Amino acid sequence: MPPNWPVDDVPAARPDWRERLALGADLALIGIAVTALALPVVTAPAALATGSAAVRTRYADGRLPRWRPLLRQYRRGVLPGLPALLAAAVLLIDLVAVRGGWVPGGPVLLGITAVVTAWLAGVAALTLVALGRDPELPWRTAAGWAWDHPKAATVLALIGVIALFLVLAVPVTLPLMVGFHLFAVHLLSDRLAPA
């Protein structure tokens, strides 16, 4: 009678190099499309939300989504994204004013403002995740859900800072970084703030 040895679980099949190359190419394509759609600046939040939905479909289903629903989401997202764009502009102006010495407070206020801005960028990234998961979700509801997950927003803020430094080091990679950053945001938020 043979001994009853413990049986190891069979490891899951790992994707080969072709699948990884296809994923990288798809993320780069999404990043380039988002960057092109965000060039008018007013459309940047809508472009990012649409890119988030495209990355989510690629991440969850393993294929790129159809372009018509994405175009519809992009058109619907222009107006709801304007308050987010206005808030980002106010924060940017505030950072420039504090850094330039136009506002009293010096380096301490600059550090506090930079940390708050980075954390709010993490909340914005988590909002994009919610909009990518459910494109029909109202922007305000998505932002409220993101605000209720401060731990996930903090991690996404740190990832955003790393992505910012990478883009500042090699500015030509901005279109590529957009797609890869959205992918990282979705991957991390699934672990830290599942739906």
Side-chain angles (χ1 to χ4, degrees), residues 29-92:
L29 178 65
I30 291 170
I32 291 168
V34 168
T35 304
L37 291 173
L39 283 178
V41 179
V42 175
T43 60
L48 287 168
T50 305
S52 178
V55 166
R56 183 65 186 189
T57 301
R58 178 59 174 97
Y59 168 61
D61 298 342
R63 60 175 176 75
L64 284 175
R66 298 190 182 278
W67 64 273
R68 285 181 196 245
L70 292 177
L71 185 60
R72 200 173 318 116
Q73 180 182 0
Y74 174 72
R75 277 187 271 132
R76 277 193 329 240
V78 173
L79 286 178
L82 290 179
L85 186 65
L86 181 62
V90 167
L91 284 171
L92 183 63

